[in-house]
C-alpha cells in the first residue's frame, strides 16, 4: 500500500539541533546552549504521513518474543561488564566518551582482542590513526587476536561496506566524529554529519544484531561533543574519566537501557596497557610504618561501590595577614566551611595557620560523607597527634557542628573490615549502624566535638 502524504506549511523558523532552542531568524550561535553552527532552518513545507503502509512483520505477543537473543555477552573485562550490567547486549549501541589521552582507544582495543579470542569476529574501524599505528599499540598491550580486523576509514560508505563484507559480531568505531557521509553536506564532526553517521551505524547494528561501540569526543566543559540527539539515539552512554597525571581511570554509565547507572568501574592505565582494578583502595591509601598526624582514612561511595581514601592535612604558621588555603582532590569551598566550623564550634584556632588539605593518589572526593574525615585530619594536624591506626571515619558535618547520617553506613563498615580496619567513627542514626562484623568497633557521634574528644582529646 502506497504511503500518502499531505503538505502543511508553517511559519519559517530556526531551531538549535543541540538543545531545541528556537528563533525567528538565523544566528551563528545558539542563545541557549551557546553552541556554534547548530541553528538550522525548520520552517517551510513539512510532509506528514496520512496513510498506513503495508505491514512487513506483524506484531507479536510479548510472551512470544525470544529474549535469549539479547542475552549479555561477557567482554572479558570484568570492570566494563560491571558498569554495563553484565556485558554486551547483541544489537546494542554504546557510546564511550572521554577527554583526549584518557585511554578510550586503549580500553576498546583490549576489549576487542579479548572478545575476538572467544572466536567472534570483531571489526575495529579507526578514523584517527592508521592500521599500522593501531597494530603498534596492540603489540604493546598484548591485544592481537586472529579474529580482530582493522580498517582505517573516514568515509561512512566504505565503513558500512566493511561491515557488509565481514559481518562482525562486534563493531568498534574510533571515533564517530571522524566519519563523514558523501551524501550530507558539512565537514566531519559537524552536527549534520554526526547525526547521519550515528543514525546509519545504529540502523546497521539493529538490523544485524551487531553490538557497536562508538568513541565520542568531549568539549572543554566535559560534555559529549556533537548533537545531544546522539545521546538519545544510543542505548548506553559511558564516561571515561581520569586525571592526566594519575594512573587511575573511572568508567561510569550515564545512561543504560540494560542495567544500572549507579556503578563504577576502576582501571589502572600504565605502560603495559590497561587493567581492571577489583580493589583500587590501595592507590588511595598511603603505606607508612609509623602513624603520622594530619591523616585520616574515610570510605566514600562511588555509585554503589565503596572505596577507601585517605585525607591528609598540613598546618603551618602563616607569615601573611591572610592565611593560605590550598586543597587538592577536594572541594575548596567545602574545606573552607569545615575550617570555619572547627574554629567556631570546636575551638580549634586556625585563623593564623596556612592550611593544605589533599587526598592521596589523585582521587577526587566530592561526597559530603568525607566531611568528618577532613575535619579530623585538620584537627590532628593542629594538635600534632596522630589518629589511632586502622581507623576510618565518615559523616556529613553541618554548620552547627552536628554530624549527620549518610547513606550506606553498614556497607562502608563491611568494606573497611574486609580491608583490615578495626575501628570506625560514624554518625549517629535512629536505626544504628546495622550488623557489625565480629571484632570491629563502631562509635557513633552526634557532634564534631564528640569525635574530637574521643580521638584527640
Amino acid at each position: 500500500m502506497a504511503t500518502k502524504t499531505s503538505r502543511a506549511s508553517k511559519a519559517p523558523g530556526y531551531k538549535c539541533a543541540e538543545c531545541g532552542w528556537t528563533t525567528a531568524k538565523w544566528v551563528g550561535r545558539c542563545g541557549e546552549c551557546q553552541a556554534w553552527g547548530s541553528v538550522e532552518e525548520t520552517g517551510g513545507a513539512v510532509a506528514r504521513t496520512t496513510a498506513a503502509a503495508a505491514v512487513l512483520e506483524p506484531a507479536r505477543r510479548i510472551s512470544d518474543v525470544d529474549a535469549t537473543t539479547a542475552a549479555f555477552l561477557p567482554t572479558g573485562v570484568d570492570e566494563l561488564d560491571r558498569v554495563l550490567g553484565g556485558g554486551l547486549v547483541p544489537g546494542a549501541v554504546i557510546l564511550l566518551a572521554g577527554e583526549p589521552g584518557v585511554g578510550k582507544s586503549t580500553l576498546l582495543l583490549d576489549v576487542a582482542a579479548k572478545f575476538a579470542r572467544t572466536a567472534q569476529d570483531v571489526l575495529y574501524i579507526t578514523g584517527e590513526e592508521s592500521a599500522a599505528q593501531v597494530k603498534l599499540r596492540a603489540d604493546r598491550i598484548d591485544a592481537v587476536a586472529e579474529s580482530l580486523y582493522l580498517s582505517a576509514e573516514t568515509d561512512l560508505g566504505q565503513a558500512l561496506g566493511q561491515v557488509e563484507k565481514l559481518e562482525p559480531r562486534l563493531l568498534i568505531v574510533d571515533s564517530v566524529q571522524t566519519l563523514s557521509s558523501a551524501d550530507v553536506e558539512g565537514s566531519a564532526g559537524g552536527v549534520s554529519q554526526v547525526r547521519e553517521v550515528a543514525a546509519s551505524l545504529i540502523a546497521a547494528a539493529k538490523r544485524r544484531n551487531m553490538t557497536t561501540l562508538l568513541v565520542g569526543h568531549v568539549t572543554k566543559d566535559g560534555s559529549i561533543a556533537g548533537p545531544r540527539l546522539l545521546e538519545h539515539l544510543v542505548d548506553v552512554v559511558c564516561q571515561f574519566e581520569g586525571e592526566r597525571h594519575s594512573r587511575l581511570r573511572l568508567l561510569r554509565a550515564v545512561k543504560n537501557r540494560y542495567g544500572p547507572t549507579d556503578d563504577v568501574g576502576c582501571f589502572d592505565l600504565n605502560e603495559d596497557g590497561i587493567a581492571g582494578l577489583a580493589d583500587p583502595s590501595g592507590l588511595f591509601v598511603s603505606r607508612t610504618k609509623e602513624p603520622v598526624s594530619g591523616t585520616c582514612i574515610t570510605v566514600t561511595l562511588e555509585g554503589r561501590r565503596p572505596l577507601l581514601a585517605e585525607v591528609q592535612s598540613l598546618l603551618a604558621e602563616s607569615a601573611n595577614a591572610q592565611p593560605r588555603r590550598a586543597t587538592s582532590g577536594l572541594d575548596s569551598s567545602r574545606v573552607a566551611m569545615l575550617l570555619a566550623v572547627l574554629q567556631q564550634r570546636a575551638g580549634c584556632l586556625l585563623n593564623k595557620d596556612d592550611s593544605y588539605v589533599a587526598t592521596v593518589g589523585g582521587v577526587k572526593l566530592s561526597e559530603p560523607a568525607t566531611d568528618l574525615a577532613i575535619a579530623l585530619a585538620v584537627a590532628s594536624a593542629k594538635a600534632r597527634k596522630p589518629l589511632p591506626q586502622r581507623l576510618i571515619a565518615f559523616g556529613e558535618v553541618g554548620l552547627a557542628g552536628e554530624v549527620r547520617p549518610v547513606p550506606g553506613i553498614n556497607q562502608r563498615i563491611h568494606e573497611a573490615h574486609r580491608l583490615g580496619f578495626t575501628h570506625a567513627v560514624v554518625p549517629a542514626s535512629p536505626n544504628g549502624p546495622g550488623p557489625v562484623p565480629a571484632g570491629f568497633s563502631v562509635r557513633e557521634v552526634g557532634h564534631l566535638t564528640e569525635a574530637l574528644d574521643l580521638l584527640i582529646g
Side-chain angles (χ1 to χ4, degrees):
M1 183 184 299
T3 301
K4 299 179 180 179
T5 59
S6 63
R7 296 284 179 176
S9 61
K10 63 179 181 180
Y14 298 87
K15 182 178 181 180
C16 175
E18 298 278 352
C19 64
W21 176 74
T22 58
T23 179
K25 62 179 181 178
W26 183 87
V27 292
R29 188 178 188 179
C30 174
E32 181 68 25
C33 65
Q34 305 300 315
W36 287 97
S38 62
V39 179
E40 300 174 347
E41 185 177 1
T42 59
V46 179
R48 294 196 178 100
T49 301
T50 59
V55 177
L56 300 179
E57 183 178 353
R60 291 179 291 171
R61 297 179 185 272
I62 190 171
S63 57
D64 297 335
V65 177
D66 184 12
T68 58
T69 58
F72 287 106
L73 299 175
T75 63
V77 181
D78 294 338
E79 292 298 300
L80 177 60
D81 291 342
R82 172 202 291 266
V83 175
L84 296 179
L88 300 175
V89 176
V93 180
I94 302 168
L95 177 64
L96 178 64
E99 295 181 354
V102 76
K104 304 183 297 297
S105 300
T106 303
L107 173 62
L108 291 186
L109 188 57
D110 184 51
V111 171
K114 290 181 177 177
F115 194 80
R117 288 168 187 159
T118 62
Q120 308 279 359
D121 287 340
V122 179
L123 176 58
Y124 190 106
I125 296 178
T126 172
E128 300 180 345
E129 300 174 284
S130 66
Q133 291 172 326
V134 177
K135 177 61 164 57
L136 286 175
R137 186 167 67 250
D139 290 335
R140 178 173 57 87
I141 67 175
D142 190 22
V144 178
E146 288 297 323
S147 299
L148 174 58
Y149 297 84
L150 295 178
S151 176
E153 296 287 354
T154 56
D155 181 75
L156 176 61
Q158 294 290 334
L160 293 177
Q162 296 282 4
V163 173
E164 185 83 20
K165 181 178 180 180
L166 185 60
E167 296 185 355
R169 193 69 183 274
L170 173 63
L171 171 65
I172 298 176
V173 179
D174 185 9
S175 66
V176 68
Q177 280 94 352
T178 59
L179 292 182
S180 61
S181 172
D183 299 328
V184 178
E185 295 182 358
S187 59
V191 174
S192 57
Q193 285 287 355
V194 170
R195 183 188 292 114
E196 175 66 18
V197 169
S200 300
L201 293 175
I202 291 171
K206 302 301 181 184
R207 184 173 62 254
R208 299 176 177 277
N209 209 29
M210 170 186 65
T211 305
T212 302
L213 288 166
L214 307 177
V215 175
H217 296 165
V218 297
T219 58
K220 292 181 179 180
D221 59 358
S223 59
I224 299 174
R228 295 300 299 271
L229 177 69
L230 183 62
E231 299 179 49
H232 295 293
L233 289 176
V234 300
D235 302 303
V236 182
V237 179
C238 293
Q239 286 276 4
F240 205 41
E241 307 169 355
E243 292 291 332
R244 186 175 295 273
H245 303 292
S246 173
R247 292 169 48 183
L248 177 71
R249 299 293 185 266
L250 298 179
L251 180 66
R252 309 174 191 270
V254 181
K255 169 189 175 182
N256 192 353
R257 289 174 177 166
Y258 311 113
T261 57
D262 57 351
D263 216 334
V264 62
C266 299
F267 296 88
D268 180 18
L269 183 66
N270 51 57
E271 60 275 5
D272 297 325
I274 192 165
L277 291 175
D279 187 10
S281 298
L283 296 176
F284 311 141
V285 179
S286 61
R287 298 286 186 262
T288 56
K289 296 182 179 179
E290 298 295 333
V292 180
S293 62
T295 67
C296 185
I297 298 175
T298 186
V299 185
T300 181
L301 282 181
E302 289 288 347
R304 295 183 299 174
R305 188 171 189 173
L307 297 176
L308 266 71
E310 182 176 340
V311 178
Q312 295 184 339
S313 175
L314 176 65
L315 300 180
E317 185 176 353
S318 179
N320 304 318
Q322 185 70 26
R324 180 178 172 83
R325 302 285 187 255
T327 61
S328 176
L330 299 165
D331 184 10
S332 57
S333 59
R334 191 84 185 175
V335 173
M337 182 200 75
L338 292 172
L339 295 178
V341 172
L342 278 169
Q343 178 155 318
Q344 293 299 115
R345 305 297 184 185
C348 190
L349 300 180
L350 305 171
N351 57 345
K352 295 183 179 180
D353 294 329
D354 292 333
S355 64
Y356 304 87
V357 188
T359 59
V360 171
V363 63
K364 289 185 177 181
L365 301 180
S366 57
E367 191 186 15
T370 60
D371 288 353
L372 183 58
I374 296 172
L376 290 175
V378 173
S380 171
K382 180 65 177 178
R384 298 185 179 181
K385 180 179 179 181
L387 296 174
Q389 289 186 303
R390 301 188 181 280
L391 168 79
I392 63 163
F394 55 85
E396 181 182 357
V397 177
L399 292 178
E402 77 279 12
V403 181
R404 301 170 181 168
V406 294
I409 292 179
N410 193 254
Q411 184 181 4
R412 300 173 200 254
I413 290 174
H414 278 79
E415 178 67 11
H417 177 261
R418 185 181 71 83
L419 295 176
F421 290 81
T422 57
H423 300 78
V425 178
V426 304
S429 61
N431 299 326
V436 177
F440 196 91
S441 174
V442 176
R443 292 294 298 268
E444 294 185 279
V445 296
H447 197 274
L448 180 58
T449 54
E450 295 181 39
L452 296 178
D453 292 341
L454 177 67
L455 300 175
I456 298 177

